[in-house]
Amino acid sequence: MDPFDVKGKTAVVTGAAQGIGKATADLLHQSGCMVARLDVQAGESILVCDVADESAVEKTFKQIGKIDILVNNAGIVVRKNALEITHEEWDKVLGVNLTGLFLCARGAARRMKDQGGGAIVNLASIMGFSGGLFPNPAYQASKGAVVNLTRALALEFAPFGIRVNAVAPTFVRTRLTAPVFSNPELLKKVMDHTPLGVLPEVEDIAQAVLFLAGPAARCITGVTLPVDSGYLAR
Ligand SMILES: NC(=O)c1ccc[n+]([C@@H]2O[C@H](COP(=O)([O-])OP(=O)(O)OC[C@H]3O[C@@H](n4cnc5c(N)ncnc54)[C@H](O)[C@@H]3O)[C@@H](O)[C@H]2O)c1
């Protein structure tokens, strides 16, 4: 048996227009999945859907039909410290990264329950386990919540054969992290906290998602797997 066999499965990837979401959607497609790519940005083969809008999620999921794999990847950041971030910005980050992720997980689980099972993989972050290298409280709060929501949903959905796990990347070069990668001082700080001395690319994160979504992980649920080059080992 191929431990990574996901052929013929239907996968939904949120935030799939670019970055980690696109790499994950591409890998699932190459692995034989039918992939529905959701994003707020219109584009080729994108279903436009704001994950923070419950009725849009419901409508889009109904359109997709059967869902075997959900990758909850859509995420945003507002890098402002606690004294400066506005209430509106705080709500926006939590609205996408936490509430949007929850709405998609619930929408998918309602379908997976009737189908006899499925796999959900959430995008957490090393910032869900640490106070980070600079103030980023809304993002850190949202990702910490994703780590524990992953456990809570894993327990609730286990009786239905639905596994729920997460991946926690360190800094990966995407549009989201452009301000970090273009700041040499900050990048040096990141590398000083990177024991392996090399940062993952989007494909490295996609491969961890594929592992958690597939049969190799059939007895794994409720965990968050760091793909962090050793960042959290300190
Ligand atoms: N890049 C990193 O270093 C890193 C590290 C840890 C975790 N992550 C997480 O990985 C995920 C992907 O990050 P990325 O770096 O590829 O970001 P990115 O900004 O390159 O891509 C995110 C995608 O999500 C989409 N999106 C944003 N809000 C949305 C919404 N409301 N509904 C639907 N789609 C929406 C964007 O349009 C974009 O296409 C995020 O959850 C992020 O927090 C990224």
Side-chain angles (χ1 to χ4, degrees):
M1 189 198 70
D2 174 1
F4 303 103
D5 184 8
V6 289
K7 269 188 222 76
K9 305 275 184 202
T10 299
V12 174
V13 181
T14 70
Q18 61 183 36
I20 293 170
K22 181 176 186 310
T24 302
D26 289 348
L27 181 61
L28 288 168
H29 174 73
Q30 282 160 29
S31 306
C33 286
M34 272 88 66
V35 185
R37 301 168 188 248
L38 276 47
D39 209 292
V40 279
Q41 281 182 69
E44 206 190 321
S45 60
I46 294 288
L47 289 174
V48 175
C49 175
D50 177 352
V51 297
D53 176 345
E54 187 169 16
S55 60
V57 169
E58 261 315 298
K59 196 173 134 224
T60 309
F61 280 20
K62 199 178 263 176
Q63 199 180 326
I64 296 165
K66 180 171 167 277
I67 301 176
D68 301 300
I69 295 167
L70 167 69
V71 183
N72 258 322
N73 165 83
I76 58 170
V77 64
V78 175
R79 292 185 186 90
K80 286 192 181 173
N81 67 35
L83 298 181
E84 279 164 13
I85 192 165
T86 65
H87 191 165
E88 202 183 357
E89 288 166 334
W90 172 273
D91 282 349
K92 183 108 209 303
V93 175
L94 273 290
V96 176
N97 296 7
L98 179 58
T99 309
L101 179 145
F102 169 71
L103 293 173
C104 291
R106 180 167 70 174
R110 284 177 176 152
R111 286 161 177 82
M112 290 171 176
K113 178 173 178 271
D114 295 338
Q115 294 163 203
I120 298 174
V121 184
N122 297 325
L123 264 293
S125 165
I126 53 167
M127 293 306 147
F129 291 104
S130 103
L133 300 176
F134 51 83
N136 196 0
Y139 187 80
Q140 288 154 339
S142 71
K143 294 299 182 178
V146 168
V147 171
N148 216 26
L149 181 61
T150 297
R151 297 187 184 105
L153 296 182
L155 294 177
E156 183 179 333
F157 297 160
F160 312 128
I162 303 167
R163 297 182 301 100
V164 187
N165 293 293
V167 173
T170 180
F171 294 87
V172 181
R173 193 187 289 269
T174 64
R175 192 188 62 177
L176 190 89
T177 50
V180 177
F181 281 85
S182 62
N183 178 336
E185 224 170 274
L186 197 47
L187 191 56
K188 182 181 178 310
K189 219 172 178 184
V190 169
M191 295 317 295
D192 287 345
H193 284 75
T194 303
L196 282 181
V198 60
L199 294 171
E201 302 292 337
V202 289
E203 291 78 12
D204 295 293
I205 311 305
Q207 285 158 22
V209 173
L210 175 64
F211 162 66
L212 289 171
R218 73 187 185 96
C219 292
I220 300 176
T221 198
V223 308
T224 297
L225 173 65
V227 182
D228 69 345
S229 303
Y231 184 105
L232 294 171
R234 287 179 190 277

